[in-house]
Amino acid sequence: MSLPSKLEAVLETFDLFSDPADRTSLLLSYADQFREVPKAIATRPFPQEHLVPHCESEAYVWAIKQPDGTLKLHFAVENPSGVSAKALATILDRSLSGLPPAEIAEVTPDLVERIFRQNISMGKGLGLMSMVQAVRSLATAAAKTRA
Amino acid sequence: MTDIASRGYTNPEVLVSTEWVAAHLDDPSIRLVESNEDTLLYASGHLPGAVHVDWTADLNDPVRRDYITRKGFQALMSRIGATPKTTVIFYGDKNNWWACYAFWVFQLFGHKNARVMDGGRVKWEKEGRPMTREVPVITPTKYRAPERNDKPVRAFRQDVLAHLKKKGQLVDVRSPEEYSGTRMHMPDYPNEGALRGGHIPTAKSVPWSRAVNPEDGTFKDAKALAELYVKTNKLKKDRPTIAYCRIGERSSHTWFALKYLLGFKNVKNYDGSWTEWGNSVGVPIEK
């Protein structure tokens, strides 16, 4: 199955940037635009069932079903140094929120490598892929609920 | 934490405090070098005037599993504007793992004019000290380095095997689970392909983190370090010692503590570490 069009557009943008410095700037610009989960959805201490496993940035994820049946993704990143997690959260929110759960559930963690490439480090890679996996799991569950 | 000079270290001059660095930000004789595991961190904000040295892109050979050559080191030093007289101050994330690793690689080229900022990046940030995204404009220098000399501080697999035969001291600085072989990688890190779990026979298990104060990441004082390594784990300062972990970054931290803070006479870092040993055919392993 092809990727959602907004996500494909983001990935194509990253593909265009071959210079590591340019890719770093792009990732930072996404991280700078990160918005934490609104208080109406969740407040600290965030429930552990929303914690992304294996993510050292202590990321949390929510997938809230909207009246039209689509999902709205929200994230929190507790580690102030969690720049990569914030960048990925912004990308996932911007490109997947507003889509039906079944479509989001098709997104696979290998997109992390395409986004971060040389900016991926050992521990971080696993944590970031876990973020995508957590979104997938929530979307899969939401798709089943709808059915 | 107490003043570094009062902590009883053998070589207290290798550590500088965040206060000291804050007072020397404009000192032209020093060069601040940030080395992290997270390659985005420097770009997201760093100490004013600090340059970035990436452990993979700058310190490792791009093809072989080895470090840069003399030529590569000279180019690196030129890029960061250092001369042999420049005092290089390393700091970074992860309790200075990569700062100590970079410090250690610099010793392969004999750049002894090097220090580590105690507590690293996190302590600086927690203290609310200035951070910037401005990348300093550096005037390249000419740096003539000697050929890389691995012998004093680097151990290869064959060195570890010979060390074992001589009943030399080994320190395994990984987590207890990695040491016992119940897991093949750091908690929350991917398995990077070691086929066997366990540890090198006779190695003492002393996870790297026991050398630091958990509240601020600074090194413990000499008395506490001696209690840990010498008294509890029966390591002797005058006997050859090899530290290892998974790829040599955490063990650089322990190497630094043993060599400079406690004054162990002959300490080497086995950078092949478990990703090499756990895949090597025929080498002895204990669980």
Side-chain angles (χ1 to χ4, degrees):
Chain A
M1 186 172 168
S2 61
L3 287 169
S5 59
K6 279 188 186 172
L7 181 58
E8 185 58 47
V10 170
L11 295 178
E12 282 174 7
T13 305
F14 275 98
D15 289 344
L16 288 174
F17 287 77
S18 54
D19 184 340
D22 291 339
R23 296 173 67 83
T24 297
S25 297
L26 188 56
L27 283 167
L28 276 183
S29 73
Y30 277 113
D32 288 343
Q33 294 167 61
F34 174 75
R35 295 289 174 270
E36 188 175 276
V37 59
K39 288 189 171 59
I41 303 292
T43 54
R44 289 184 178 80
F46 298 127
Q48 287 300 295
E49 62 264 32
H50 290 274
L51 180 66
V52 175
H54 311 299
C55 183
E56 62 179 5
S57 292
E58 215 187 319
Y60 293 80
V61 58
W62 291 261
I64 308 298
K65 196 173 260 189
Q66 303 300 296
D68 62 358
T70 63
L71 290 182
K72 166 65 181 164
L73 300 178
H74 297 285
F75 297 87
V77 177
E78 293 293 72
N79 183 345
S81 298
V83 184
S84 306
K86 286 178 183 170
L88 181 61
T90 306
I91 291 169
L92 293 174
D93 175 31
R94 294 270 182 89
S95 57
L96 299 179
S97 286
L99 294 176
E103 209 172 321
I104 297 175
E106 294 292 328
V107 173
T108 54
D110 53 6
L111 68 91
V112 167
E113 200 168 332
R114 205 166 147 198
I115 293 171
F116 288 88
R117 264 199 253 170
Q118 72 277 8
N119 289 114
I120 205 162
S121 64
M122 296 164 302
K124 215 170 59 175
L126 191 70
L128 296 173
M129 285 191 270
S130 284
M131 281 177 70
V132 180
Q133 188 56 47
V135 167
R136 235 168 98 93
S137 300
L138 289 171
T140 303
K144 282 179 185 164
T145 309
R146 197 183 187 191
Chain B
M1 190 59 211
T2 53
D3 178 56
I4 289 168
S6 68
R7 293 188 210 160
Y9 298 143
T10 306
N11 302 100
E13 69 280 2
V14 294
L15 268 187
V16 290
S17 65
T18 49
E19 291 82 4
W20 187 92
V21 172
H24 288 78
L25 287 176
D26 297 322
D27 185 341
S29 70
I30 72 163
R31 176 68 67 222
L32 294 170
V33 170
E34 178 164 326
S35 277
N36 301 317
E37 177 182 303
D38 187 336
T39 55
L40 280 184
L41 217 44
Y42 171 83
S44 74
H46 50 263
L47 271 64
V51 295
H52 186 212
V53 169
D54 180 65
W55 71 279
T56 44
D58 291 317
L59 300 177
N60 278 259
D61 183 283
V63 180
R64 289 156 45 116
R65 185 174 175 184
D66 205 348
Y67 298 105
I68 49 176
T69 60
R70 173 192 181 198
K71 196 177 163 192
F73 187 71
Q74 290 181 161
L76 171 64
M77 294 305 258
S78 171
R79 176 177 75 74
I80 68 171
T83 72
K85 288 183 178 170
T86 303
T87 302
V88 180
I89 314 277
F90 295 94
Y91 74 95
D93 66 353
K94 298 275 182 180
N95 286 104
N96 277 333
W97 285 358
W98 303 98
C100 289
Y101 181 86
F103 178 105
W104 173 74
V105 172
F106 273 47
Q107 300 319 301
L108 303 178
F109 296 95
H111 191 93
K112 296 195 185 308
N113 213 359
R115 316 270 185 270
V116 169
M117 185 176 84
D118 201 25
R121 186 185 158 100
V122 167
K123 186 166 189 285
W124 181 276
E125 278 184 302
K126 278 187 179 170
E127 290 169 349
R129 297 186 187 277
M131 303 283 278
T132 181
R133 286 190 177 182
E134 191 179 327
V135 176
V137 178
I138 302 289
T139 306
T141 51
K142 281 200 170 177
Y143 188 104
R144 280 184 62 80
E147 285 299 331
R148 199 182 75 211
N149 182 9
D150 295 327
K151 210 169 173 56
V153 292
R154 186 183 185 192
F156 290 91
R157 190 184 72 133
Q158 62 270 25
D159 300 324
V160 178
L161 285 165
H163 186 74
L164 269 177
K165 278 189 181 169
K166 292 180 190 165
K167 301 192 187 305
Q169 302 180 133
L170 284 154
V171 189
D172 185 318
V173 317
R174 299 173 300 162
S175 62
E177 295 82 9
E178 291 168 276
Y179 177 83
S180 65
T182 54
R183 70 184 318 149
M184 310 275 270
H185 52 92
M186 274 193 276
D188 292 346
Y189 274 62
N191 184 351
E192 289 184 300
L195 290 172
R196 291 288 186 271
H199 58 267
I200 301 175
T202 74
K204 298 286 174 63
S205 171
V206 192
W208 69 273
S209 58
R210 292 190 192 159
V212 299
N213 296 299
E215 66 278 9
D216 63 1
T218 55
F219 280 101
K220 289 179 178 171
D221 64 22
K223 191 179 170 195
L225 292 178
E227 175 80 23
L228 172 66
Y229 292 105
V230 179
K231 194 170 177 192
T232 307
N233 285 286
K234 312 275 185 261
L235 294 165
K236 294 185 169 49
K237 290 184 181 182
D238 54 356
R239 288 185 57 200
T241 307
I242 293 176
Y244 72 94
C245 58
R246 186 179 53 101
I247 56 168
E249 87 291 26
R250 286 174 288 177
S251 46
S252 298
H253 188 274
T254 298
W255 166 84
F256 181 88
L258 292 176
K259 180 176 174 66
Y260 296 101
L261 306 186
L262 276 184
F264 273 55
K265 297 278 186 295
N266 178 358
V267 198
K268 292 181 182 178
N269 182 24
Y270 171 36
D271 58 281
S273 279
W274 200 256
T275 52
E276 179 178 54
W277 197 268
N279 282 318
S280 292
V281 176
V283 298
I285 289 175
E286 271 179 5
K287 278 202 166 188

